[in-house]
Amino acid sequence: MTWRAELSLDYSAAGGRTVARHRHQGPLRVLQSLYPEGDGICQNVLVHPPSGVVGGDVLDIRVHAQAGAHGLVTTPGATRFYRSEGLAGVQRAALRVDAGARLEWLPLEAIYYSGCLAENHLSMDVAPGGELIGWDVTALGLPLADQPFVAGSVLQHIEVPGVWLERGRIAADDQRLLEGPLGLGGRRCLASVFWIGGTPLERARREQALDAAREALGQGDQVHQGDVHEASGNWVGGVTSPHPRVLVARVVAPVVEPAMAALRRVRGAWRQALWSLPDVPPRIWST
């Protein structure tokens, strides 16, 4: 049995309060709205009751933040793409941010089990005056559980239409990519956190944000834009601005935990530097 599931989540603002409204079809749900930072920021947890994606499953997620709203979406655990018998398991997320709105897209990692045929698509449409902080975390297999990624493939697609596109396929038999020094170098987690603006960042604000991300990665003034840095735990991180509307910090690590910790630090630093907001994690992360 395969599943097709759809979810639409809309954030609007009224009287200083961000309100979430959602519709769903199939096994995708949104838990109750939470306001640990006050009425202006609405946090929601996206859940998928089957707890995994198998070949033939299709998950479609659409999130829209209207003017004046600030929404935050996360998940209670990893999204798991299981072994496929021939059909691809697909997740598509389309995020739309209107002028004067903010959105944080912070799902926990996607774990790709050996033998999966997976596609993970993320599209972000940010209007002038809107801003988004989001991330994507990919874990290939379960190395610590002695379940390596030795079969199957993953297609990743991350896009800001007309501005930024990253698209690539990771095949389990591509040893040059997985093991080579110009690829993952034996690491099995790759992660990116990004800030997307509908309006280009002015130079001073962009440099402030890049410096804040370097500091969060433990790099400080040791590197320049686009450089990478080998840090403790055998993970590598770097930060760059491939377009005036895009900031990206990237990490590759042997396992998820150091990569996720680095992304959380960068997200907190950008919140402070770009939005003058404290580094407050989603409530569910502390449970």
Side-chain angles (χ1 to χ4, degrees):
M1 178 180 294
T2 60
W3 295 95
R4 183 178 182 91
E6 299 179 0
L7 175 76
S8 295
L9 175 60
D10 290 276
Y11 290 103
S12 60
R17 182 178 178 86
T18 295
V19 178
R21 295 178 176 86
H22 55 89
R23 302 177 302 279
H24 70 87
Q25 179 178 339
L28 275 174
R29 301 288 189 276
V30 169
L31 299 184
Q32 70 183 87
S33 296
L34 304 173
Y35 295 89
E37 299 184 72
D39 287 350
I41 302 176
C42 180
Q43 297 185 7
N44 289 106
V45 180
L46 175 63
V47 295
H48 180 226
S51 75
V53 181
V54 301
D57 286 356
V58 179
L59 308 183
D60 273 307
I61 303 163
R62 293 179 297 278
V63 183
H64 178 201
Q66 299 181 40
H70 185 154
L72 185 155
V73 183
T74 187
T75 59
T79 300
R80 300 172 186 268
F81 289 82
Y82 292 117
R83 183 173 61 87
S84 172
E85 297 296 337
L87 296 174
V90 180
Q91 176 174 275
R92 292 189 288 257
L95 314 180
R96 179 179 157 200
V97 184
D98 290 351
R102 290 173 176 170
L103 181 64
E104 296 182 73
W105 173 255
L106 307 172
L108 297 185
E109 69 272 13
I111 300 176
Y112 298 93
Y113 282 70
S114 188
C116 74
L117 297 175
E119 295 184 15
N120 201 350
H121 301 256
L122 175 62
S123 177
M124 297 165 284
D125 183 3
V126 183
E131 297 187 358
L132 177 150
I133 293 176
W135 65 34
D136 180 89
V137 183
T138 294
L140 302 173
L142 296 170
L144 297 182
D146 197 26
Q147 297 182 42
F149 183 68
V150 296
S153 67
V154 177
L155 173 67
Q156 279 193 307
H157 181 110
I158 303 175
E159 178 182 18
V160 180
V163 173
W164 178 49
L165 172 64
E166 293 197 355
R167 181 180 173 91
R169 185 179 299 276
I170 303 172
D173 61 358
D174 188 346
Q175 292 302 296
R176 294 179 67 183
L177 172 62
L178 295 176
E179 304 296 339
L182 298 182
L184 299 182
R187 303 172 184 89
R188 290 299 180 264
C189 179
L190 56 156
S192 300
V193 56
F194 28 82
W195 174 93
I196 311 295
T199 303
L201 275 174
E202 60 273 18
R203 182 180 180 86
R205 192 173 179 223
R206 183 174 68 248
E207 291 301 323
Q208 179 188 16
L210 290 169
D211 288 343
R214 293 185 186 113
E215 188 68 29
L217 290 176
Q219 298 174 203
D221 296 328
Q222 301 175 40
V223 297
H224 302 288
Q225 179 173 315
D227 289 341
V228 296
H229 173 66
E230 190 80 27
S232 61
N234 195 30
W235 63 269
V236 176
V239 58
T240 188
S241 178
H243 187 278
R245 290 174 50 192
V246 180
L247 305 172
V248 186
R250 311 175 196 274
V251 172
V252 292
V255 292
V256 167
E257 288 76 11
M260 184 63 80
L263 263 58
R264 290 184 184 187
R265 293 196 301 271
V266 174
R267 177 254 179 181
W270 280 347
R271 258 182 150 240
Q272 294 171 333
L274 295 169
W275 292 351
S276 298
L277 290 175
D279 179 10
V280 177
R283 177 177 289 178
I284 194 171
W285 291 356
S286 61
T287 61

